Amino acid sequence: CQHVSHAISVNHVKKAIAENVLSVCSECLKERRCCEGRPVLPSDIWLCLKCGFQGCGRNSEGHHSLKHYKSWRTESHCITVSLSTWIIWCYECDEKLSTQCNKKVLAQTVDFLQKHVSKTQTGAFSRILKLCEEKCETGEKKRGRKGSNVPSVKGISNLGNTCFFNAVMQNLAQSYILMELMNENKENGTKLKIFPSPDSQLDPLIVELSSPGPLTSALLAFLHSMKETEKGPLSPKVLFNQLCQKAPRFKSFQQQDSQELLHYLLDAVRTEETKRIQASILKAFNNPTTKTADEDTRKKVKAYGREGVKMNFIDRIFIGELTSTVMCEECANISSVNDPFIDISLPIIEERVSKPVLLGRMSKCRSLQATDNGQYSDTVTIENTPQPRATKNQSSSKDKVRLYAFVRQAF
């Protein structure tokens, strides 16, 4: 397609999906179309590869993706991609495009979008968006009531030098996205749809999750108790004991670092959720083992497991990716490596004041020789020869006189 070279902008696409909710038509959201009191959001969403605009497709009522292309602009916005089927379409050519027959920028942009969608799971964020709208409507009805929009806050009992633990839990209790995603996967038999990578050429797999692990269940119960309106502080003993079984270092009831506790808590919950998802994938293939499974089954389990473990709620909220990109100067081949992280520690660089330079005997001698018409510059090199400190202190003046006389005679 001749429009690929000027109708795709990777930087604009990355900026747009970082600022907006993915897989939601922005124009339908502005029009506030509702059905039975709930906003109607089309599922067929097409993303413009020039500016990152998301609009509903031709089969929807709004045709916002097509209208976006037809609106007048100095640059063409004719190439779009479906966020559900990953079909690439050019409105100018009016035909489907292939990543193999066009420039590399098209394949790189689509590959970035596929990884971003599989990581964020757009359906969950669409439900979060609906939840926020319902909360706003409820807040408008309760307008005028004192403290109606203020989030509930409850105290936590100190078990003995556990203030570091209580501080972390107070922050997690106010993370509404954490509560939303944990409630989705809390029940036994919850359905989870796993999207494998496009390179594997596998269809999405729907699995049934088992019950959450003991630490995850204790965390969910504690966060629910923090939202209750009953007065009085809440005891975190059950949750703290479950955490101490995973991390025995906290059993001593000594002062600890809150950041380290958060790391241990998130890592332990993530481990439980990873085992839970991996067990559900094996169950979908009738629990194969390395001895009973054939080569094709092992490849499928590995492909689904690679993407499935990223769908736990810890990765979707707290885990980021640090991307290292290297480009070959000869063939322009680009390779990227992604490293997950929970947080990034950055050094605090202080501006150091340079120490004043002390003028010693050598500097004084150098300045005296420089004023003598610049004739004895060779003596500087001779004086820079290191000597023992005691010898310099005892005969420094005599050495200078002898050196000066020696140079005069030489000239």
Side-chain angles (χ1 to χ4, degrees):
C1 174
Q2 60 182 353
H3 307 102
V4 170
S5 58
H6 58 270
I8 295 179
S9 177
V10 181
N11 293 331
H12 291 166
V13 171
K14 290 183 178 180
K15 183 178 179 180
I17 65 175
E19 297 175 350
N20 302 313
V21 180
L22 197 61
S23 191
V24 174
C25 178
S26 56
E27 295 300 321
C28 291
L29 197 61
K30 292 179 182 178
E31 295 174 1
R32 301 288 183 179
R33 297 184 180 182
C34 298
C35 179
E36 297 180 357
R38 295 184 177 182
V40 177
L41 300 177
S43 58
D44 184 21
I45 304 299
W46 292 74
L47 187 140
C48 175
L49 296 184
K50 183 65 177 179
C51 63
F53 171 84
Q54 300 179 67
C56 49
R58 293 180 175 180
N59 297 328
S60 61
E61 183 178 355
H63 308 286
H64 291 126
S65 178
L66 185 60
K67 292 179 181 178
H68 173 75
Y69 153 71
K70 290 183 177 180
S71 58
W72 185 87
R73 292 180 182 85
T74 56
E75 298 178 334
S76 177
H77 291 237
C78 59
I79 299 181
T80 60
V81 59
S82 173
L83 296 181
S84 56
T85 61
W86 299 110
I87 295 177
I88 309 170
W89 193 267
C90 178
Y91 285 117
E92 289 285 350
C93 302
D94 198 20
E95 64 180 6
K96 178 181 176 182
L97 302 184
S98 173
T99 57
Q100 299 178 353
C101 302
N102 291 278
K103 295 186 176 181
K104 291 183 179 180
V105 64
L106 180 62
Q108 292 172 357
T109 307
V110 175
D111 182 66
F112 168 80
L113 290 172
Q114 289 175 340
K115 292 180 179 178
H116 188 78
V117 169
S118 63
K119 178 182 177 181
T120 56
Q121 288 301 298
T122 58
F125 285 94
S126 299
R127 288 189 288 273
I128 293 174
L129 180 65
K130 294 179 182 180
L131 178 64
C132 294
E133 292 181 351
E134 292 174 0
K135 288 183 177 179
C136 293
E137 295 175 358
T138 305
E140 292 177 357
K141 293 180 182 179
K142 295 181 179 180
R143 184 178 299 174
R145 298 182 182 180
K146 185 178 180 180
S148 58
N149 293 328
V150 178
S152 59
V153 178
K154 181 177 291 189
I156 304 176
S157 301
N158 195 322
L159 303 178
N161 293 326
T162 57
C163 54
F164 63 95
F165 173 78
N166 294 356
V168 172
M169 299 315 302
Q170 288 286 5
N171 282 274
L172 293 180
Q174 301 302 325
S175 303
Y176 70 93
I177 297 181
L178 176 61
M179 291 290 299
E180 173 73 15
L181 297 185
M182 289 188 71
N183 285 328
E184 290 181 0
N185 302 321
K186 67 179 181 179
E187 300 294 341
N188 184 15
T190 302
K191 303 288 186 179
L192 180 65
K193 190 174 184 180
I194 302 176
F195 296 89
S197 60
D199 299 336
S200 62
Q201 298 180 352
L202 296 175
D203 296 329
L205 178 67
I206 300 177
V207 298
E208 290 187 2
L209 299 177
S210 58
S211 300
L215 179 59
T216 307
S217 300
L219 177 61
L220 180 61
F222 179 83
L223 295 178
H224 274 294
S225 300
M226 289 289 290
K227 297 298 181 182
E228 295 177 356
T229 57
E230 297 180 359
K231 295 182 179 180
L234 180 65
S235 175
K237 187 175 182 179
V238 176
L239 175 60
F240 188 75
N241 290 339
Q242 287 292 336
L243 178 61
C244 289
Q245 294 182 12
K246 305 288 185 179
R249 61 173 300 174
F250 299 112
K251 287 183 178 181
S252 59
F253 290 95
Q254 299 295 324
Q255 287 288 352
Q256 302 284 347
D257 185 77
S258 58
Q259 183 185 14
E260 292 183 1
L261 180 128
L262 180 62
H263 272 266
Y264 276 99
L265 177 62
L266 296 181
D267 186 65
V269 174
R270 185 176 184 270
T271 301
E272 287 188 351
E273 286 296 291
T274 300
K275 293 180 179 179
R276 184 185 180 199
I277 295 175
Q278 289 176 342
S280 65
I281 296 175
L282 293 176
K283 184 178 179 181
F285 287 91
N286 297 321
N287 295 320
T289 62
T290 54
K291 295 181 179 181
T292 59
D294 53 9
E295 184 67 21
D296 185 54
T297 303
R298 284 198 295 267
K299 289 182 179 179
K300 290 182 179 179
V301 171
K302 186 177 181 180
Y304 286 117
R306 189 183 303 111
E307 301 299 325
V309 295
K310 300 178 183 178
M311 298 176 63
N312 65 84
F313 61 88
I314 298 297
D315 282 33
R316 291 159 65 181
I317 301 175
F318 299 101
I319 303 296
E321 282 188 350
L322 188 64
T323 303
S324 301
T325 303
V326 179
M327 184 181 70
C328 179
E329 295 182 353
E330 295 183 359
C331 62
N333 181 42
I334 299 176
S335 59
S336 299
V337 178
N338 298 326
D339 296 323
F341 66 89
I342 295 180
D343 57 17
I344 300 179
S345 298
L346 300 177
I348 299 177
I349 302 177
E350 298 181 358
E351 295 184 0
R352 298 182 178 179
V353 180
S354 58
K355 296 182 180 181
V357 178
L358 300 178
L359 296 177
R361 287 184 299 274
M362 297 301 177
S363 300
K364 291 180 180 179
C365 184
R366 192 178 295 115
S367 61
L368 290 174
Q369 294 166 359
T371 58
D372 196 4
N373 298 326
Q375 297 179 359
Y376 313 114
S377 58
D378 293 345
T379 58
V380 176
T381 306
I382 299 173
E383 291 182 4
N384 285 337
T385 304
Q387 297 178 1
R389 183 177 298 273
T391 305
K392 287 185 178 181
N393 292 338
Q394 295 174 1
S395 60
S396 59
S397 59
K398 295 181 180 180
D399 291 342
K400 290 180 181 178
V401 174
R402 293 174 182 172
L403 179 62
Y404 189 80
F406 173 77
V407 176
R408 294 285 292 183
Q409 293 175 3
F411 279 87

